[in-house]
Structure formats: C-alpha cells, structure tokens
Amino acid sequence: MRRPPGQDGCVGVVGGGYVGLALAAYLVTSGRSVLLVEADAERRHALSRGEMPIYEAGVDSVLSRALREASLVVTGDLGLALDATRMVFITVGTPPGADDLPDLSAVALVVSELRTHAKPGTVVVLKSTVPPGTGRRIAEQLQGPPFRLPVVSCPEFLREGSALRDMHTAARQVIGGDDREAMARVATVVTAPGTPVIMTDTASAELIKYGSNSFLALKISFANELARFADEVGADIVPVVQGMGLDPRIGPEGLRAGLGFGGCCLPKDVRALVGAGGRHSTAFGTLEAALQVNAAQRALFTEEIRRELGGRLNGRRVAVLGLAFKPGTDDVREAPSLDVIRNLLGHGAELTAHDPCAIGKAAPLLPPHVRLTADPYDCLSGADAAAIVTEWPEYLRLDWDRARQVMRHPVLVDGRNCLDPGEIARRGFRYRAVGRPPAQAVCSADRPGAITAARAAPV
Ligand code: UGA
C-alpha cells in the first residue's frame, strides 16, 4: 500500500457502506491512503475488483483509481488496519431497530474488536449516526487498562447523489469529544480547506446530526402542509416558498413541496430522535407531526391520481415515473414510490414503472405484476395517467409530445412539482401538481422539444 508521510497519512475506515465509501473517496482525493475494512465477504470481493455496491456520482471512479494506485486497500481484517494506522473511522450501518432507536449491534462489534486489537494512541472516530450519549459510552468502554483510546464524534452531513461534492464543500465540520489533541487530528484529516469547524462535546456533536436532519424534515413537512392550504385558497406553493426562502432566517433549501422525504436518513433519524426523547422526558410534538404529514402526503397523492381519473382506479393503467427516493441515486429505502405503488395497487390500478437507475434495487420490493420498463415511453404507452414520483432530469427532458401520443389519456400528476404547468398544458396534458393551481390542456400542439423545469428559479 502507498503510504503518504505523517502520522495520519494512512487511516482505517470500518464499514464499506454509503458513508464509508464516500469518506474513503474523499480521503484518497485529499492525498491519504485508506485501509477499508468490510466484514461481508461478497461485498469485500466486489469492492476489491472495483465494483461499487452503490450508485454515487464520482465515487466509483475515484475508488477504482485508488485501488489501482494502491492508495486504497480493501480487507476483512480489522487487526491489519489497526496495525497499520493510528486513526480508525467507524462507518458501519445503524439501521432502525426496536422502539425506533437505531440498531447499534454493528458498532458494538467493532468496539469490542478495538478493545482487543487497537494500539495505544489510536484515535477512534465515530461517523455512524448514533443517538446522543453513545460516543460517551463507547469512550468508557475504550478506557484502559492497559490504555485509553480517545473517541471523537464526527457526524456525516453528505447527501446521496452529491456525496463527494458535499464533502469537499461542506457547510460545516462537526467534531465532538474531550481530547483536544485527538479532535484536532481528526479535524485535519476530514476538513476541506475553508470549511467552518465546530468543536464541541460528544453528545452535542451527535445531537447536531439528529437536530439537522430533523429540522430538514420539519421544513419539508411544513412546506407540504402549506401546499395543501395553497390548494384550498388558490395559491401557488412554488412562488410562496421561493418568497419565504429568500429570507436568510428561513433559507431556500428543504422547502420543495411534493411527495415528502424518504431515504435511509431523514425518516429514520426523525423517528430515532422522537424515540430518544421518549426515553427521557422530551416529547417531540413537532417531529411527530412532521412524520404524520409526511406519511399522509403519499396517500393524498394516490387520492389525487384517483380524482384525476374520475374517481376510479380499478382497471386503470398508471405509469409511475421514478422509483428512487430522490434523483441521482438508486436507493429506494423508504422511497415514496413504494407506498404510492402499494396504494395504487390496493385500489385496483394496473401499473408500469420506470426509473433511470433504481429498477434493480426496487424490483425485489415490488409485486411481480408491476411491469418495470427500461424505457420511459414504453412505461407511458397505453397509460390512463402518468405519475411523476422522482424528479429525475430525464423526465424534464422527456419529449412530452411523444409521451402524449403513446398514452391513452393525457393526464399527468406531478408529485415533485418539477414541470412547468403552463407549458405541459400547452402540450395537451391535464396537469396536476402539489399545491399549484391545476393546468388544463389548452391545445394539442405538436411542438417538439423538452419541457423547462418549473424550478428554474432558485428554490
Ligand atoms: C440527508 C441530509 O440532507 C444530509 O445532510 C445527511 O447527511 C443525510 O441525510 C444523512 O443523514 O446521511 P439525503 O437523505 O441524501 O440527505 O437526502 P436529502 O437531499 O436531504 O433529501 C431527503 C428527502 O427529502 C428526499 O426524499 C427528497 O426528495 C426530500 N426533499 C428534500 C423534499 O421533499 N423537499 C425538499 O425541499 C428537499
């Protein structure tokens, strides 16, 4: 393995999942060597061959090059990493467990190995998302004899789909702990030039992570509730949130109304904070409401499709566009598409579905009679209605004239407010979005070309 100079020129990353791979990519691009420890043999062998188990722009090419140049080595042997490095990042998964709190068994396993194999002076960096108080308990477990390993909390704020960019241009780096020297070493390794660094205690660092994801969820659910009200009073949620977001106290991000939040992080972390609050004596009423609004959003969308089809879904063909929980990823964990499809099938609809890259991950989770198509026009062919569930750029660029020609009825329900209502209506569609005045088909012009994005304005 190529060994850059310096105490932390080579670091260990334990867990080859999303966070571990994105972190490894960041570390090698900033000139370090990485020993990536992955316990799952199949995943490990695939990784060693340069096959990435995740779809994330840039990460695969960076890691493939690092493997060739030997600045990345994949191993199943944590002992090897602990011999070769003095800084080890824990990036194993913390999936939802009992009582909505995360299952920390994978973290516990790594900690027990660290107790046996770690060398004096090794800094343990906790990057997996864990409830406040976890880092402190791990630090107690890693206190001698014969020595004490400093534990530093360094939560992750990257977004799927833009992981590498987010790491190089992070809004902040959060470092928690009580060993200033260890914290400074971690900050040097993970912080891109110019990124503000918050140094704090471990529990506060852990709470910054939960507080941030939960606040994003609150914003999204509030935008969605406001969109429902906009529908009732005849307002348009797109300029409404644009106007709100320009206030720096509010900010433009996380205000896009639509099908709500999914993925492996926001829903899980909000539930975990509610659960952790319940274990103490804090009732997070706002977060419980955000979860309710989010769940209802998916049911309301199905209802909207039913209404647009004259109140009957039984035997009607609906084309679902988008399966991933958001564009730029093949991740379908807690994706709105899964609930929307379940609801539509429950009402007797016949379904086709398309996604530019998540079909492989979605297929095992869907009933076999949902016809999955590699081509969006094939998906739309013969449909009574199209439902946009994920705002992939491919759908903005679709030839909607051709789409209208292949569909049985030109009805389009946009769960992400990603098309321009006026323009799509001019192409002969009946268009319904979330919190926007309905657009009726105004003509059936045969104008070629792509529909412009409704979000051309910065929201
Ligand atoms: C989220 C956070 O944004 C990251 O900072 C954090 O590091 C990550 O979780 C994590 O904990 O690992 P991510 O789940 O990749 O990142 O996705 P987001 O871009 O935040 O979107 C989450 C969901 O909210 C998506 O389903 C998206 O469609 C939805 N959303 C987002 C909206 O409905 N409206 C918006 O305005 C923004």
Short mmCIF file of all heavy atoms in Angstrom, two decimals, residues 100-163:
data_model
loop_
_atom_site.label_atom_id
_atom_site.label_comp_id
_atom_site.label_asym_id
_atom_site.label_seq_id
_atom_site.Cartn_x
_atom_site.Cartn_y
_atom_site.Cartn_z
N ASP A 100 -37.91 2.29 17.42
CA ASP A 100 -37.47 3.36 16.52
C ASP A 100 -36.05 3.82 16.77
O ASP A 100 -35.55 4.70 16.08
CB ASP A 100 -38.41 4.58 16.58
CG ASP A 100 -39.68 4.30 15.81
OD1 ASP A 100 -39.64 3.44 14.91
OD2 ASP A 100 -40.71 4.95 16.12
N LEU A 101 -35.38 3.27 17.78
CA LEU A 101 -33.98 3.66 18.00
C LEU A 101 -33.09 2.83 17.07
O LEU A 101 -33.45 1.70 16.73
CB LEU A 101 -33.60 3.43 19.47
CG LEU A 101 -34.28 4.41 20.42
CD1 LEU A 101 -33.99 4.06 21.86
CD2 LEU A 101 -33.81 5.84 20.13
N PRO A 102 -31.94 3.37 16.66
CA PRO A 102 -31.11 2.60 15.73
C PRO A 102 -30.52 1.35 16.37
O PRO A 102 -30.26 1.33 17.57
CB PRO A 102 -30.01 3.58 15.33
CG PRO A 102 -30.15 4.77 16.18
CD PRO A 102 -31.42 4.72 16.92
N ASP A 103 -30.33 0.35 15.55
CA ASP A 103 -29.71 -0.90 15.99
C ASP A 103 -28.19 -0.68 15.97
O ASP A 103 -27.60 -0.50 14.90
CB ASP A 103 -30.13 -1.99 15.00
CG ASP A 103 -29.44 -3.31 15.26
OD1 ASP A 103 -28.56 -3.36 16.14
OD2 ASP A 103 -29.78 -4.29 14.56
N LEU A 104 -27.58 -0.71 17.15
CA LEU A 104 -26.15 -0.38 17.25
C LEU A 104 -25.27 -1.62 17.30
O LEU A 104 -24.10 -1.54 17.68
CB LEU A 104 -25.92 0.48 18.50
CG LEU A 104 -26.65 1.82 18.53
CD1 LEU A 104 -26.32 2.59 19.80
CD2 LEU A 104 -26.30 2.68 17.31
N SER A 105 -25.83 -2.80 16.91
CA SER A 105 -25.05 -4.03 17.09
C SER A 105 -23.76 -4.03 16.25
O SER A 105 -22.73 -4.52 16.71
CB SER A 105 -25.90 -5.27 16.82
OG SER A 105 -26.51 -5.14 15.57
N ALA A 106 -23.81 -3.47 15.04
CA ALA A 106 -22.60 -3.47 14.20
C ALA A 106 -21.53 -2.56 14.84
O ALA A 106 -20.34 -2.90 14.83
CB ALA A 106 -22.93 -2.99 12.79
N VAL A 107 -21.95 -1.44 15.43
CA VAL A 107 -21.00 -0.55 16.10
C VAL A 107 -20.39 -1.29 17.29
O VAL A 107 -19.17 -1.27 17.51
CB VAL A 107 -21.69 0.76 16.58
CG1 VAL A 107 -20.73 1.62 17.39
CG2 VAL A 107 -22.23 1.55 15.40
N ALA A 108 -21.24 -1.99 18.05
CA ALA A 108 -20.76 -2.70 19.26
C ALA A 108 -19.71 -3.74 18.90
O ALA A 108 -18.73 -3.92 19.62
CB ALA A 108 -21.96 -3.33 19.98
N LEU A 109 -19.93 -4.40 17.77
CA LEU A 109 -18.98 -5.44 17.34
C LEU A 109 -17.59 -4.83 17.05
O LEU A 109 -16.57 -5.38 17.46
CB LEU A 109 -19.53 -6.08 16.06
CG LEU A 109 -19.18 -7.53 15.81
CD1 LEU A 109 -19.79 -8.41 16.89
CD2 LEU A 109 -19.74 -7.96 14.43
N VAL A 110 -17.61 -3.69 16.36
CA VAL A 110 -16.33 -3.03 16.04
C VAL A 110 -15.66 -2.60 17.35
O VAL A 110 -14.45 -2.80 17.54
CB VAL A 110 -16.56 -1.81 15.12
CG1 VAL A 110 -15.24 -1.10 14.84
CG2 VAL A 110 -17.22 -2.23 13.82
N VAL A 111 -16.44 -2.04 18.27
CA VAL A 111 -15.85 -1.55 19.53
C VAL A 111 -15.21 -2.71 20.29
O VAL A 111 -14.11 -2.58 20.84
CB VAL A 111 -16.92 -0.83 20.38
CG1 VAL A 111 -16.40 -0.52 21.78
CG2 VAL A 111 -17.35 0.46 19.67
N SER A 112 -15.87 -3.87 20.28
CA SER A 112 -15.29 -4.99 21.05
C SER A 112 -13.97 -5.44 20.40
O SER A 112 -13.02 -5.79 21.09
CB SER A 112 -16.28 -6.14 21.21
OG SER A 112 -16.37 -6.83 20.01
N GLU A 113 -13.88 -5.35 19.08
CA GLU A 113 -12.60 -5.70 18.42
C GLU A 113 -11.53 -4.65 18.72
O GLU A 113 -10.36 -4.99 18.89
CB GLU A 113 -12.80 -5.82 16.91
CG GLU A 113 -13.60 -7.05 16.52
CD GLU A 113 -13.19 -7.55 15.14
OE1 GLU A 113 -11.99 -7.60 14.86
OE2 GLU A 113 -14.11 -7.84 14.35
N LEU A 114 -11.95 -3.40 18.79
CA LEU A 114 -10.99 -2.33 19.09
C LEU A 114 -10.38 -2.54 20.47
O LEU A 114 -9.19 -2.34 20.69
CB LEU A 114 -11.69 -0.96 19.04
CG LEU A 114 -12.06 -0.43 17.66
CD1 LEU A 114 -12.96 0.79 17.77
CD2 LEU A 114 -10.81 -0.07 16.87
N ARG A 115 -11.23 -2.98 21.40
CA ARG A 115 -10.73 -3.22 22.77
C ARG A 115 -9.60 -4.25 22.76
O ARG A 115 -8.66 -4.17 23.53
CB ARG A 115 -11.87 -3.76 23.64
CG ARG A 115 -12.78 -2.69 24.19
CD ARG A 115 -14.04 -3.33 24.72
NE ARG A 115 -13.75 -4.18 25.86
CZ ARG A 115 -13.99 -3.84 27.11
NH1 ARG A 115 -14.51 -2.67 27.37
NH2 ARG A 115 -13.71 -4.65 28.11
N THR A 116 -9.71 -5.22 21.86
CA THR A 116 -8.72 -6.30 21.84
C THR A 116 -7.48 -5.92 21.02
O THR A 116 -6.37 -6.22 21.43
CB THR A 116 -9.34 -7.56 21.20
OG1 THR A 116 -10.71 -7.63 21.57
CG2 THR A 116 -8.63 -8.82 21.62
N HIS A 117 -7.72 -5.28 19.86
CA HIS A 117 -6.60 -5.16 18.91
C HIS A 117 -5.97 -3.77 18.79
O HIS A 117 -4.88 -3.67 18.22
CB HIS A 117 -7.08 -5.57 17.50
CG HIS A 117 -7.56 -6.98 17.42
ND1 HIS A 117 -6.75 -8.05 17.65
CD2 HIS A 117 -8.78 -7.48 17.15
CE1 HIS A 117 -7.45 -9.17 17.51
NE2 HIS A 117 -8.69 -8.85 17.21
N ALA A 118 -6.65 -2.72 19.26
CA ALA A 118 -6.11 -1.38 18.97
C ALA A 118 -4.80 -1.12 19.71
O ALA A 118 -4.56 -1.65 20.78
CB ALA A 118 -7.15 -0.33 19.35
N LYS A 119 -3.98 -0.28 19.06
CA LYS A 119 -2.68 0.07 19.65
C LYS A 119 -2.82 1.40 20.41
O LYS A 119 -3.69 2.21 20.07
CB LYS A 119 -1.65 0.26 18.52
CG LYS A 119 -1.46 -0.95 17.63
CD LYS A 119 -0.51 -1.95 18.25
CE LYS A 119 -0.40 -3.24 17.46
NZ LYS A 119 -1.62 -4.04 17.40
N PRO A 120 -1.95 1.65 21.40
CA PRO A 120 -2.01 2.94 22.12
C PRO A 120 -1.90 4.09 21.12
O PRO A 120 -1.18 3.99 20.14
CB PRO A 120 -0.79 2.90 23.04
CG PRO A 120 -0.32 1.49 23.05
CD PRO A 120 -0.83 0.80 21.84
N GLY A 121 -2.64 5.15 21.39
CA GLY A 121 -2.55 6.34 20.53
C GLY A 121 -3.52 6.31 19.36
O GLY A 121 -3.62 7.27 18.61
N THR A 122 -4.24 5.20 19.18
CA THR A 122 -5.20 5.13 18.06
C THR A 122 -6.43 5.97 18.40
O THR A 122 -7.02 5.81 19.47
CB THR A 122 -5.61 3.67 17.80
OG1 THR A 122 -4.45 2.93 17.47
CG2 THR A 122 -6.62 3.57 16.66
N VAL A 123 -6.79 6.84 17.48
CA VAL A 123 -8.00 7.65 17.67
C VAL A 123 -9.17 6.94 17.00
O VAL A 123 -9.07 6.54 15.84
CB VAL A 123 -7.82 9.06 17.05
CG1 VAL A 123 -9.10 9.87 17.19
CG2 VAL A 123 -6.66 9.77 17.69
N VAL A 124 -10.27 6.78 17.74
CA VAL A 124 -11.46 6.12 17.20
C VAL A 124 -12.47 7.20 16.83
O VAL A 124 -12.86 8.02 17.68
CB VAL A 124 -12.06 5.17 18.26
CG1 VAL A 124 -13.34 4.53 17.74
CG2 VAL A 124 -11.03 4.10 18.65
N VAL A 125 -12.84 7.23 15.56
CA VAL A 125 -13.75 8.30 15.09
C VAL A 125 -15.10 7.68 14.76
O VAL A 125 -15.21 6.81 13.91
CB VAL A 125 -13.19 9.00 13.83
CG1 VAL A 125 -13.95 10.29 13.57
CG2 VAL A 125 -11.70 9.29 13.97
N LEU A 126 -16.12 8.18 15.42
CA LEU A 126 -17.46 7.63 15.25
C LEU A 126 -18.20 8.47 14.21
O LEU A 126 -18.58 9.61 14.47
CB LEU A 126 -18.16 7.68 16.61
CG LEU A 126 -19.42 6.87 16.82
CD1 LEU A 126 -19.25 5.43 16.36
CD2 LEU A 126 -19.82 6.91 18.28
N LYS A 127 -18.40 7.87 13.01
CA LYS A 127 -19.09 8.58 11.94
C LYS A 127 -20.50 8.02 11.73
O LYS A 127 -21.36 8.70 11.19
CB LYS A 127 -18.29 8.48 10.65
CG LYS A 127 -18.12 9.86 10.05
CD LYS A 127 -17.35 9.90 8.81
CE LYS A 127 -16.87 11.29 8.49
NZ LYS A 127 -17.72 12.41 8.86
N SER A 128 -20.72 6.78 12.13
CA SER A 128 -22.07 6.21 12.03
C SER A 128 -23.01 7.10 12.85
O SER A 128 -22.60 7.65 13.87
CB SER A 128 -22.10 4.81 12.63
OG SER A 128 -21.13 3.99 12.04
N THR A 129 -24.27 7.21 12.37
CA THR A 129 -25.22 8.05 13.11
C THR A 129 -25.71 7.29 14.35
O THR A 129 -26.30 6.21 14.22
CB THR A 129 -26.41 8.42 12.20
OG1 THR A 129 -25.89 9.14 11.08
CG2 THR A 129 -27.43 9.29 12.92
N VAL A 130 -25.45 7.86 15.52
CA VAL A 130 -25.81 7.19 16.78
C VAL A 130 -26.50 8.17 17.72
O VAL A 130 -26.21 9.36 17.69
CB VAL A 130 -24.55 6.62 17.47
CG1 VAL A 130 -23.94 5.49 16.65
CG2 VAL A 130 -23.52 7.71 17.72
N PRO A 131 -27.42 7.70 18.55
CA PRO A 131 -28.13 8.61 19.45
C PRO A 131 -27.18 9.29 20.44
O PRO A 131 -26.18 8.69 20.85
CB PRO A 131 -29.10 7.68 20.21
CG PRO A 131 -29.18 6.44 19.41
CD PRO A 131 -27.88 6.32 18.67
N PRO A 132 -27.51 10.54 20.82
CA PRO A 132 -26.66 11.27 21.77
C PRO A 132 -26.40 10.43 23.02
O PRO A 132 -27.33 9.85 23.58
CB PRO A 132 -27.49 12.51 22.09
CG PRO A 132 -28.34 12.71 20.88
CD PRO A 132 -28.64 11.34 20.36
N GLY A 133 -25.16 10.39 23.44
CA GLY A 133 -24.78 9.61 24.62
C GLY A 133 -23.99 8.36 24.22
O GLY A 133 -23.25 7.81 25.04
N THR A 134 -24.13 7.92 22.96
CA THR A 134 -23.47 6.67 22.52
C THR A 134 -21.95 6.82 22.55
O THR A 134 -21.23 5.95 23.05
CB THR A 134 -23.92 6.30 21.09
OG1 THR A 134 -25.34 6.32 21.05
CG2 THR A 134 -23.41 4.93 20.70
N GLY A 135 -21.44 7.93 22.02
CA GLY A 135 -19.99 8.13 21.94
C GLY A 135 -19.37 8.10 23.33
O GLY A 135 -18.30 7.53 23.54
N ARG A 136 -20.08 8.73 24.28
CA ARG A 136 -19.55 8.78 25.66
C ARG A 136 -19.47 7.36 26.23
O ARG A 136 -18.50 6.99 26.87
CB ARG A 136 -20.47 9.66 26.50
CG ARG A 136 -19.75 10.34 27.63
CD ARG A 136 -20.64 11.37 28.29
NE ARG A 136 -20.58 12.66 27.63
CZ ARG A 136 -21.54 13.59 27.72
NH1 ARG A 136 -22.64 13.34 28.41
NH2 ARG A 136 -21.40 14.73 27.11
N ARG A 137 -20.50 6.55 25.95
CA ARG A 137 -20.50 5.16 26.47
C ARG A 137 -19.37 4.36 25.82
O ARG A 137 -18.69 3.59 26.48
CB ARG A 137 -21.84 4.48 26.18
CG ARG A 137 -22.92 4.82 27.22
CD ARG A 137 -24.07 3.83 27.15
NE ARG A 137 -24.71 3.82 25.84
CZ ARG A 137 -25.59 4.74 25.45
NH1 ARG A 137 -25.92 5.73 26.27
NH2 ARG A 137 -26.12 4.69 24.24
N ILE A 138 -19.15 4.60 24.51
CA ILE A 138 -18.07 3.87 23.83
C ILE A 138 -16.72 4.30 24.41
O ILE A 138 -15.84 3.47 24.65
CB ILE A 138 -18.12 4.13 22.30
CG1 ILE A 138 -19.37 3.46 21.72
CG2 ILE A 138 -16.87 3.61 21.61
CD1 ILE A 138 -19.61 3.74 20.24
N ALA A 139 -16.58 5.60 24.69
CA ALA A 139 -15.31 6.10 25.28
C ALA A 139 -15.05 5.39 26.61
O ALA A 139 -13.91 5.02 26.91
CB ALA A 139 -15.38 7.60 25.45
N GLU A 140 -16.11 5.18 27.39
CA GLU A 140 -15.93 4.48 28.68
C GLU A 140 -15.44 3.05 28.44
O GLU A 140 -14.57 2.55 29.13
CB GLU A 140 -17.25 4.45 29.45
CG GLU A 140 -17.55 5.77 30.15
CD GLU A 140 -19.02 5.91 30.54
OE1 GLU A 140 -19.74 4.87 30.56
OE2 GLU A 140 -19.43 7.04 30.80
N GLN A 141 -16.02 2.42 27.41
CA GLN A 141 -15.61 1.03 27.11
C GLN A 141 -14.16 0.95 26.62
O GLN A 141 -13.53 -0.09 26.75
CB GLN A 141 -16.53 0.42 26.05
CG GLN A 141 -17.94 0.14 26.55
CD GLN A 141 -18.89 -0.11 25.39
OE1 GLN A 141 -18.49 -0.49 24.30
NE2 GLN A 141 -20.17 0.12 25.62
N LEU A 142 -13.69 2.05 26.02
CA LEU A 142 -12.33 2.01 25.47
C LEU A 142 -11.30 2.67 26.40
O LEU A 142 -10.21 3.04 25.99
CB LEU A 142 -12.32 2.69 24.09
CG LEU A 142 -13.13 1.95 23.01
CD1 LEU A 142 -13.13 2.72 21.71
CD2 LEU A 142 -12.60 0.54 22.78
N GLN A 143 -11.70 2.83 27.66
CA GLN A 143 -10.74 3.33 28.65
C GLN A 143 -9.98 2.14 29.17
O GLN A 143 -10.58 1.12 29.48
CB GLN A 143 -11.51 3.94 29.81
CG GLN A 143 -12.17 5.22 29.45
CD GLN A 143 -11.92 6.28 30.50
OE1 GLN A 143 -11.37 5.98 31.54
NE2 GLN A 143 -12.31 7.49 30.21
N GLY A 144 -8.66 2.27 29.36
CA GLY A 144 -7.78 1.19 29.82
C GLY A 144 -8.39 0.27 30.86
O GLY A 144 -9.59 0.34 31.07
N PRO A 145 -7.62 -0.56 31.56
CA PRO A 145 -6.23 -0.78 31.23
C PRO A 145 -6.12 -1.66 29.97
O PRO A 145 -7.10 -2.33 29.64
CB PRO A 145 -5.69 -1.52 32.47
CG PRO A 145 -6.88 -2.22 33.07
CD PRO A 145 -8.07 -1.39 32.70
N PRO A 146 -5.05 -1.69 29.22
CA PRO A 146 -3.79 -1.04 29.58
C PRO A 146 -3.68 0.41 29.09
O PRO A 146 -2.76 1.10 29.45
CB PRO A 146 -2.75 -1.91 28.87
CG PRO A 146 -3.46 -2.41 27.65
CD PRO A 146 -4.90 -2.54 28.02
N PHE A 147 -4.61 0.87 28.26
CA PHE A 147 -4.50 2.26 27.80
C PHE A 147 -5.90 2.76 27.45
O PHE A 147 -6.86 1.99 27.43
CB PHE A 147 -3.58 2.36 26.57
CG PHE A 147 -3.88 1.33 25.52
CD1 PHE A 147 -4.96 1.46 24.68
CD2 PHE A 147 -3.07 0.19 25.38
CE1 PHE A 147 -5.25 0.51 23.73
CE2 PHE A 147 -3.36 -0.77 24.43
CZ PHE A 147 -4.45 -0.62 23.60
N ARG A 148 -5.96 4.04 27.15
CA ARG A 148 -7.26 4.66 26.86
C ARG A 148 -7.24 5.12 25.40
O ARG A 148 -6.30 5.76 24.95
CB ARG A 148 -7.41 5.86 27.81
CG ARG A 148 -8.53 6.78 27.49
CD ARG A 148 -8.48 7.98 28.44
NE ARG A 148 -9.46 8.95 27.99
CZ ARG A 148 -9.22 9.84 27.02
NH1 ARG A 148 -8.04 9.91 26.48
NH2 ARG A 148 -10.17 10.68 26.64
N LEU A 149 -8.30 4.76 24.64
CA LEU A 149 -8.37 5.21 23.24
C LEU A 149 -9.30 6.42 23.17
O LEU A 149 -10.46 6.33 23.58
CB LEU A 149 -8.92 4.11 22.34
CG LEU A 149 -8.15 2.79 22.27
CD1 LEU A 149 -8.86 1.84 21.32
CD2 LEU A 149 -6.73 3.03 21.80
N PRO A 150 -8.83 7.55 22.65
CA PRO A 150 -9.74 8.69 22.53
C PRO A 150 -10.83 8.42 21.50
O PRO A 150 -10.55 7.86 20.43
CB PRO A 150 -8.83 9.84 22.07
CG PRO A 150 -7.53 9.24 21.71
CD PRO A 150 -7.46 7.84 22.19
N VAL A 151 -12.06 8.80 21.83
CA VAL A 151 -13.18 8.63 20.91
C VAL A 151 -13.65 10.01 20.47
O VAL A 151 -13.89 10.89 21.30
CB VAL A 151 -14.35 7.86 21.58
CG1 VAL A 151 -15.56 7.80 20.65
CG2 VAL A 151 -13.89 6.46 21.96
N VAL A 152 -13.74 10.21 19.16
CA VAL A 152 -14.15 11.51 18.61
C VAL A 152 -15.39 11.30 17.76
O VAL A 152 -15.44 10.39 16.92
CB VAL A 152 -13.00 12.12 17.76
CG1 VAL A 152 -13.46 13.38 17.06
CG2 VAL A 152 -11.78 12.40 18.62
N SER A 153 -16.40 12.12 18.00
CA SER A 153 -17.61 12.04 17.18
C SER A 153 -17.45 12.98 15.98
O SER A 153 -17.05 14.13 16.14
CB SER A 153 -18.81 12.46 18.03
OG SER A 153 -19.91 12.69 17.20
N CYS A 154 -17.77 12.46 14.79
CA CYS A 154 -17.61 13.28 13.58
C CYS A 154 -18.77 12.95 12.64
O CYS A 154 -18.62 12.20 11.69
CB CYS A 154 -16.26 12.96 12.94
SG CYS A 154 -15.97 13.83 11.41
N PRO A 155 -19.97 13.49 12.95
CA PRO A 155 -21.14 13.09 12.17
C PRO A 155 -21.03 13.47 10.69
O PRO A 155 -20.29 14.40 10.33
CB PRO A 155 -22.30 13.83 12.84
CG PRO A 155 -21.69 14.86 13.71
CD PRO A 155 -20.28 14.46 14.00
N GLU A 156 -21.81 12.76 9.89
CA GLU A 156 -21.78 12.91 8.43
C GLU A 156 -22.95 13.77 7.95
O GLU A 156 -24.06 13.57 8.39
CB GLU A 156 -21.89 11.50 7.84
CG GLU A 156 -21.63 11.44 6.38
CD GLU A 156 -20.36 12.16 6.05
OE1 GLU A 156 -19.30 11.62 6.32
OE2 GLU A 156 -20.43 13.28 5.53
N PHE A 157 -22.68 14.70 7.05
CA PHE A 157 -23.78 15.55 6.55
C PHE A 157 -23.94 15.47 5.03
O PHE A 157 -24.64 16.29 4.44
CB PHE A 157 -23.55 17.01 6.98
CG PHE A 157 -23.55 17.18 8.47
CD1 PHE A 157 -22.37 17.31 9.17
CD2 PHE A 157 -24.74 17.17 9.19
CE1 PHE A 157 -22.36 17.43 10.55
CE2 PHE A 157 -24.75 17.29 10.57
CZ PHE A 157 -23.55 17.42 11.26
N LEU A 158 -23.28 14.51 4.40
CA LEU A 158 -23.37 14.45 2.94
C LEU A 158 -24.75 13.96 2.49
O LEU A 158 -25.44 13.25 3.23
CB LEU A 158 -22.28 13.53 2.38
CG LEU A 158 -22.29 12.05 2.78
CD1 LEU A 158 -23.22 11.24 1.90
CD2 LEU A 158 -20.88 11.51 2.71
N ARG A 159 -25.12 14.36 1.30
CA ARG A 159 -26.39 13.92 0.71
C ARG A 159 -26.11 12.90 -0.37
O ARG A 159 -25.14 13.04 -1.12
CB ARG A 159 -27.15 15.10 0.07
CG ARG A 159 -27.72 16.07 1.06
CD ARG A 159 -28.06 17.36 0.38
NE ARG A 159 -26.87 17.96 -0.26
CZ ARG A 159 -26.87 19.05 -1.00
NH1 ARG A 159 -28.00 19.68 -1.24
NH2 ARG A 159 -25.76 19.51 -1.52
N GLU A 160 -26.95 11.89 -0.44
CA GLU A 160 -26.81 10.93 -1.54
C GLU A 160 -27.00 11.67 -2.85
O GLU A 160 -27.84 12.57 -2.96
CB GLU A 160 -27.86 9.81 -1.41
CG GLU A 160 -27.58 8.91 -0.25
CD GLU A 160 -28.46 7.68 -0.24
OE1 GLU A 160 -28.93 7.25 -1.30
OE2 GLU A 160 -28.70 7.17 0.87
N GLY A 161 -26.22 11.28 -3.83
CA GLY A 161 -26.34 11.93 -5.14
C GLY A 161 -25.32 13.05 -5.31
O GLY A 161 -25.00 13.43 -6.43
N SER A 162 -24.84 13.61 -4.18
CA SER A 162 -23.82 14.66 -4.31
C SER A 162 -22.78 14.49 -3.20
O SER A 162 -22.23 15.47 -2.70
CB SER A 162 -24.46 16.05 -4.25
OG SER A 162 -25.21 16.20 -3.07
N ALA A 163 -22.52 13.22 -2.83
CA ALA A 163 -21.69 12.93 -1.66
C ALA A 163 -20.29 13.55 -1.74
O ALA A 163 -19.86 14.25 -0.82
CB ALA A 163 -21.59 11.42 -1.49
#
